[in-house]
Amino acid sequence: ADAKDALAKATALREKEAGIYAKDSGDHNTNIAALKKAIAALEKGAAGSFLQTSAAGKLRQMSLDMDMSPADRDMLSAFLSEGEGYVPQSGQITGILKQMLDTMEKDLAEMTATEKQA
């Protein structure tokens, strides 16, 4: 009976971990897609049209949630609120977004590797 209880608890824990991974990896994939759209739009000079998309809303949320320097956060926030008027800084914004993308992709790869080992 103890072995069955232990197995049931382990199975329940594993299912919970798998559910957390599914949610977190889904969130990361959504964030990565939003970052890629933002970078592509900036590189094409289409920041204004990008800012009207749902991906821009996702980027606004990420700018609040992600660990980044206050200067980068302020610059990104200004871009997201001013849009086209902030184009002279688009090279710096693109750099910040690419750093965020690298971080998200690394985090996702680490999560996926951990999940595969489970």
Side-chain angles (χ1 to χ4, degrees):
D2 287 343
K4 283 186 178 181
D5 287 346
L7 181 59
K9 286 180 182 175
T11 300
L13 178 62
R14 181 66 209 112
E15 288 172 356
K16 181 180 177 185
E17 289 171 346
I20 291 169
Y21 166 77
K23 181 196 178 306
D24 288 351
S25 66
D27 290 348
H28 271 63
N29 282 323
T30 300
N31 293 345
I32 288 168
L35 285 165
K36 286 181 177 179
K37 286 179 185 176
I39 292 165
L42 282 168
E43 288 175 343
K44 288 186 219 167
S49 59
F50 167 76
L51 291 171
Q52 306 302 315
T53 67
S54 61
K58 190 71 186 159
L59 191 56
R60 283 183 186 89
Q61 186 59 47
M62 280 190 301
S63 73
L64 300 174
D65 296 342
M66 274 191 86
D67 184 26
M68 67 175 69
S69 75
D72 285 354
R73 189 179 320 277
D74 290 348
M75 189 179 301
L76 188 54
S77 176
F79 163 71
L80 290 168
S81 61
E82 295 176 31
E84 288 292 340
Y86 211 72
V87 171
Q89 302 295 325
S90 65
Q92 289 175 290
I93 297 298
T94 303
I96 293 168
L97 296 178
K98 286 181 177 179
Q99 285 177 332
M100 291 171 67
L101 178 61
D102 287 347
T103 300
M104 288 294 235
E105 288 176 334
K106 285 177 190 167
D107 288 350
L108 179 60
E110 288 172 13
M111 271 194 284
T112 301
T114 300
E115 177 64 15
K116 285 182 179 177
Q117 290 175 355

